[in-house]
Amino acid sequence: MVDIKPLKLRDEIFAVMRETPLESLTAKKVRRAVEVVLKADKGALDEKKDLVTKYIDEFIKMKNEAAEDEQEEEEEEKPAAKKAKTGAASAQQGPKGIKVKQAKIMSGTEFTRNADPLKAVVFDEVLEGPPRTFSSGNRGWYAGKKMEVTVGDKKLWAQVGLNITIIGSKEWQD
């Protein structure tokens, strides 16, 4: 066991995560790296998995929000391109302000209880998946499987993954 104050642990986790590409990190790797920094035994932070995961999620959320803010600032600095007036929201962007509008529309529990399972057809194969909460905190559906596809006269195996995320659902309370 390692005796460390929660805020010190948070600071060490954030320092490790700032120094390492997020794509290569797992919660276990973060714990091990922090154990090295703290000169603690390997596995000493295993009993604090939930707290470590909470701080990892907090770091990722802060990083994503900072990236969104930066992107919004860049978009504000660019001269506005003339857009065709269609009267409807773009299929790619959705309606303006939808994240805020949907953030309070229901609870996570209500979504999980009331959402129908996902059924999608890809190359005549049915993909099915229940409503879920992703590790990011967003709600939606995931379905995936390996399936055979035909390309020309050849049969190939493919991995299919389908994520559907509800915009603003990360803000839903459970």
Side-chain angles (χ1 to χ4, degrees), residues 81-153:
K82 291 187 178 182
K83 296 179 184 177
K85 293 183 180 180
T86 61
S90 163
Q92 292 178 349
Q93 292 182 328
K96 291 196 180 285
I98 194 66
K99 182 177 180 180
V100 172
K101 290 176 185 173
Q102 291 190 159
K104 296 179 181 168
I105 208 162
M106 67 174 56
S107 70
T109 305
E110 186 180 357
F111 170 79
T112 304
R113 187 175 48 239
N114 295 319
D116 291 329
L118 167 69
K119 287 187 181 177
V121 178
V122 177
F123 293 115
D124 297 326
E125 291 275 340
V126 177
L127 294 174
E128 297 183 69
R132 61 169 292 173
T133 301
F134 294 99
S135 60
S136 65
N138 285 311
R139 274 48 174 228
W141 297 264
Y142 171 79
K145 71 190 238 182
K146 291 182 180 171
M147 57 190 266
E148 203 171 36
V149 295
T150 303
V151 178
D153 62 348

Side-chain angles (χ1 to χ4, degrees), residues 15 17 56:
M17 294 186 73
I56 290 170

Side-chain angles (χ1 to χ4, degrees), residues 16-54:
V16 165
M17 294 186 73
R18 275 193 289 277
E19 299 298 319
T20 312
L22 292 180
E23 305 81 44
S24 66
L25 282 179
T26 63
K28 184 176 182 178
K29 287 180 182 178
V30 171
R31 286 195 314 273
R32 296 301 174 256
V34 172
E35 289 165 354
V36 169
V37 171
L38 297 174
K39 297 181 175 116
D41 293 335
K42 184 177 179 181
L45 290 175
D46 287 354
E47 65 184 37
K48 297 183 184 276
K49 283 181 182 180
D50 291 341
L51 187 58
V52 171
T53 299
K54 174 185 169 193

Side-chain angles (χ1 to χ4, degrees), residues 152-172:
D153 62 348
K154 307 228 182 328
K155 297 219 180 247
L156 305 169
W157 280 93
Q159 175 70 42
V160 179
L162 175 61
N163 282 328
I164 300 177
T165 306
I166 302 295
I167 298 167
S169 63
K170 186 185 278 189
E171 310 307 321
W172 293 346

